[in-house]
């Protein structure tokens, strides 16, 4: 019973000492206002979060995602070349590429790919 009480007292003393040391050490960092403020990538964190967003940037990001997904679809086609009928494989690849090129041409005509406004 004595050992349990001694261990509880020792744990209490150690935790109290650690908490006191942490509060003493942390008081130094409270003084520096710049280090304690949240880092918002150069934006003032106290200003409005409803800043204007470029729709052109959004459209370019969507195009990147679409073409990235299409590359993920195209890559397994090369692996399946030796296991499939060459006529069916070629017709599938050609139709897929035509759809990609027509989509890119359509977006180019709509001016999505132009950065200047």
């Amino acid at each position: 019973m004595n050992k349990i009480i001694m261990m509880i007292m020792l744990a209490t003393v150690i935790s109290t000492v650690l908490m006191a040391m942490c509060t003493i050490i942390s008081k130094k960092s409270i003084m520096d206002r710049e280090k304690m403020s949240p880092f918002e990538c150069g934006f003032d964190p106290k200003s409005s979060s409803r800043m204007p967003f470029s729709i052109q940037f959004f459209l370019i990001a969507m195009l990147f995602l679409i073409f990235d997904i299409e590359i993920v679809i195209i890559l397994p086609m090369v692996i399946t070349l030796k296991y499939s009928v060459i006529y069916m494989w070629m017709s599938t690849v050609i139709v897929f590429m035509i759809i990609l090129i027509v989509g890119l041409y359509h977006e180019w005509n709509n001016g999505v790919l132009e950065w200047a406004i």
Side-chain angles (χ1 to χ4, degrees):
M1 188 70 165
N2 250 350
K3 287 185 179 181
I4 294 175
I5 293 174
M6 278 301 274
M7 288 302 217
I8 291 174
M9 287 176 56
L10 185 64
T12 305
V13 168
I14 289 175
S15 62
T16 305
V17 167
L18 286 176
M19 285 190 288
M21 286 176 52
C22 285
T23 52
I24 291 170
I25 293 172
S26 68
K27 290 206 186 246
K28 293 178 185 175
S29 63
I30 291 174
M31 301 298 183
D32 193 5
R33 181 175 173 255
E34 290 297 321
K35 287 185 181 177
M36 292 305 292
S37 66
F39 181 67
E40 295 284 338
C41 299
F43 297 107
D44 184 19
K46 305 221 179 345
S47 67
S48 174
S49 62
R50 300 285 184 194
M51 297 181 75
F53 184 73
S54 171
I55 194 69
Q56 192 72 25
F57 174 74
F58 178 74
L59 290 175
I60 293 293
M62 288 297 112
L63 276 175
F64 175 75
L65 286 176
I66 288 169
F67 280 104
D68 197 33
I69 290 170
E70 290 164 354
I71 288 173
V72 169
I73 293 171
I74 290 173
L75 284 177
M77 285 182 176
V78 176
I79 297 171
T80 61
L81 175 61
K82 63 180 175 181
Y83 299 115
S84 59
V85 178
I86 193 71
Y87 176 74
M88 290 299 292
W89 186 87
M90 282 298 280
S91 61
T92 304
V93 170
I94 289 172
V95 168
F96 190 72
M97 289 299 196
I98 287 173
I99 291 171
L100 285 179
I101 292 169
V102 168
L104 183 63
Y105 180 74
H106 174 70
E107 290 177 358
W108 191 358
N109 276 344
N110 286 339
V112 173
L113 300 177
E114 295 177 13
W115 281 100
I117 296 175

